[in-house]
Amino acid sequence: MSINSALLAGVSGLIANSSALAAISDNIANTNTTAYKRTQINFANVVTSQVVKGRYSAGGVEAITRNFIGNQGLIQPAASDTDLAIAGNGFFVVTDKGANVTTQDPRFFTRSGSFSVDADGYLVNDSGYYLQGWPADATGTIVTDPSDLSQMNSINIRDLGAQVLQTSEVLINGNLDKRGITGSVGDATYAGGTVASMADYADNPATGTRPDFTFQMNIIDSGGGSRRVAMSFLKDSSAANSWHAEIYAVPASDVAGATRPGQIAQGLMTFQADGSFDEANSTLFGVTAGIGNPPNIALAASSAGAGLRWASGLGINASSIDLDITKFTQFSATSAVASINPDGAPLGNVSGVEVTEDGNVTAIFDNNLVRLVAQIGLATFANPDGLSAVGGNAYSQSTRSGEYSVKAPQLGGAGSIQSSSLEASTVDLSAEFTGLITTQRAYSASSKIITTADQMLEELINIKR
């Protein structure tokens, strides 16, 4: 009966517009939700077969939910270094637990990057989801797998413990005064450093030769301790561009097995006529170093054996330090050291975290040491709008979304990571309020269908009277 179909069409209109109101309500409520993706209700007519000629049966309307999960939201600056946004395609891979993640634990996908460090050191967002990434091994190597989420783990930046970087390179920039020092004792009693050396003078001024110029530098040993090493120079009176040079420990007791007190190396440093360092003819380390190859300080580990070594009482590993002295010059100006740049770092603890555009997560220590922790992987889908919502602004894979592919940011169509940024909601309030008005009117119109059909039925019933 056509009146009954009109009633049902009116009811379907009420139901469909109620769904539209619910979707608009969700959108408006989540205007300020990080990376929220708006939902829209589209309407489609329902067609029924017209079995009786000259009569029309209304089919009504049905509500079809459409998710705009793949839409990019505006990226806005944020205060925290661990607030992350994705510029382009992809989703963060997350799970609902930090420690002891197994292959049976579900993984979810989100663009909500409001991560912070929890009490256990894990990166977790406001919804309680833990960020997953490929961990770096002890050498800083990362192995990625685009199809196996079990290779990823919750990123933790606190379980690194304290870190020490043993000095392996020192770059020195300085000048030696070509004029020497007026009134210096000279090198008459120096005898190549085998007797009355500058190392002797440092240990006991009464027994050694006073240098023309000395400076000290700090190096970090394997235990994080700071060791003092000195370099002393004495102008060679027999050669205009040659200097006697020694390297020794301060105090001398730090080094055992040395020919002179604490002495590590001794020889000549020579210069060209233009004042530049003549590495090819310098013998500070016993042999010609060779152009472009920094000389090396080598000290064996603490032991009681023979040979040049750290004193056994220090209990530290061997040291091998490239000493780049190629920036030394010899000009007629006061001897001075412009800069000493060692690469070592004493004991330090994690003080911050940094995330690069390609997803590398590095821990920053308070001794300026930086360690690679993990790399964030981004999951991409053939149809991101087909993902299933699971709450907390996260999604799970579905048959409509297709299979995931996890890759490093900026590779294979995946977007880049923007640190200190958050993706805004894709909700447009003006559009939602306009939809609210039209939905309200459509709902009222559908109710009028029911009212009118009811009046017609009442007239039909009154015919009997």
Side-chain angles (χ1 to χ4, degrees):
M1 185 176 178
S2 297
I3 295 179
N4 283 337
S5 67
L7 279 169
L8 294 176
V11 171
S12 69
L14 294 178
I15 294 173
N17 283 286
S18 295
S19 296
L21 177 63
I24 293 172
S25 301
D26 244 358
N27 291 340
I28 294 175
N30 286 280
T31 299
N32 293 319
T33 299
T34 301
Y36 174 80
K37 306 302 179 182
R38 67 181 293 269
T39 299
Q40 179 176 297
I41 300 298
N42 293 334
F43 299 102
N45 65 314
V46 178
V47 178
T48 61
S49 58
Q50 309 298 326
V51 295
V52 180
K53 186 177 181 180
R55 294 184 181 180
Y56 183 85
S57 295
V61 65
E62 66 174 337
I64 300 174
T65 303
R66 182 177 179 186
N67 297 310
F68 294 89
I69 301 173
N71 282 14
Q72 173 78 57
L74 179 67
I75 294 180
Q76 300 175 326
S80 174
D81 292 336
T82 55
D83 284 333
L84 308 177
I86 302 172
N89 296 326
F91 296 81
F92 297 113
V93 181
V94 294
T95 187
D96 55 7
K97 62 188 296 188
N100 304 317
V101 178
T102 67
T103 55
Q104 286 73 37
D105 293 312
R107 266 66 167 191
F108 306 108
F109 310 95
T110 185
R111 289 178 68 95
S112 179
S114 54
F115 295 102
S116 59
V117 182
D118 71 0
D120 297 317
Y122 292 100
L123 290 177
V124 57
N125 70 8
D126 293 341
S127 299
Y129 289 116
Y130 292 85
L131 180 61
Q132 303 291 286
W134 295 293
D137 62 18
T139 64
T141 302
I142 294 175
V143 179
T144 63
D145 190 329
S147 60
D148 188 1
L149 293 181
S150 66
Q151 298 298 316
M152 308 179 82
N153 213 332
S154 299
I155 297 177
N156 191 306
I157 62 169
R158 298 293 187 191
D159 61 0
L160 300 176
Q163 295 284 312
V164 167
L165 179 61
Q166 186 175 355
T167 299
S168 62
E169 181 179 349
V170 180
L171 174 63
I172 307 170
N173 188 344
N175 179 69
L176 295 177
D177 193 340
K178 184 179 179 66
R179 300 165 298 183
I181 295 181
T182 303
S184 169
V185 296
D187 61 349
T189 61
Y190 185 73
T194 57
V195 295
S197 69
M198 290 178 277
D200 282 311
Y201 183 85
D203 187 55
N204 183 358
T207 61
T209 300
R210 178 169 62 86
D212 286 340
F213 178 63
T214 298
F215 72 89
Q216 295 185 2
M217 52 189 166
N218 288 324
I219 64 172
I220 305 301
D221 63 31
S222 63
S226 180
R227 301 290 159 195
R228 302 284 286 178
V229 172
M231 287 191 71
S232 288
F233 304 89
L234 180 67
K235 189 76 167 62
D236 188 345
S237 60
S238 62
N241 297 319
S242 182
W243 294 73
H244 299 287
E246 290 185 38
I247 303 173
Y248 49 88
V250 179
S253 58
D254 275 1
V255 170
T259 302
R260 313 306 302 167
Q263 189 182 80
I264 301 170
Q266 67 86 25
L268 292 175
M269 279 182 64
T270 60
F271 295 86
Q272 304 282 358
D274 63 0
S276 61
F277 181 57
D278 184 5
E279 184 176 7
N281 294 306
S282 295
T283 61
L284 173 59
F285 293 84
V287 295
T288 301
I291 300 298
N293 297 312
N296 185 271
I297 298 175
L299 287 168
S302 299
S303 68
L308 194 63
R309 64 188 185 279
W310 289 114
S312 58
L314 298 178
I316 55 178
N317 291 334
S319 288
S320 179
I321 305 169
D322 287 335
L323 191 66
D324 191 342
I325 54 177
T326 59
K327 303 301 181 183
F328 260 98
T329 58
Q330 181 194 239
F331 295 118
S332 296
T334 303
S335 296
V337 172
S339 63
I340 302 174
N341 298 312
D343 65 352
L347 181 69
N349 295 296
V350 176
S351 61
V353 63
E354 183 178 86
V355 182
T356 61
E357 288 190 352
D358 57 0
N360 285 335
V361 181
T362 54
I364 302 172
F365 292 78
D366 54 16
N367 59 358
N368 296 322
L369 193 63
V370 175
R371 283 282 186 266
L372 180 62
V373 177
Q375 184 174 37
I376 298 171
L378 296 182
T380 58
F381 297 85
N383 176 29
D385 291 346
L387 290 167
S388 299
V390 295
N393 210 11
Y395 307 92
S396 63
Q397 179 181 302
S398 71
T399 54
R400 291 183 58 238
S401 68
E403 290 290 329
Y404 64 81
S405 176
V406 184
K407 61 202 71 175
Q410 299 181 319
L411 294 178
S416 62
I417 304 293
Q418 304 294 313
S419 63
S420 300
S421 302
L422 289 174
E423 184 179 356
S425 166
T426 58
V427 173
D428 182 350
L429 277 179
S430 61
E432 298 302 328
F433 282 126
T434 301
L436 198 62
I437 294 171
T438 58
T439 299
Q440 181 183 15
R441 294 305 183 191
Y443 188 90
S444 298
S446 295
S447 67
K448 289 296 184 182
I449 295 173
I450 297 173
T451 301
T452 302
D454 178 59
Q455 291 172 351
M456 293 175 68
L457 283 174
E458 184 177 0
E459 289 295 331
L460 181 61
I461 293 171
N462 289 338
I463 291 175
K464 184 179 179 181
R465 299 177 184 175

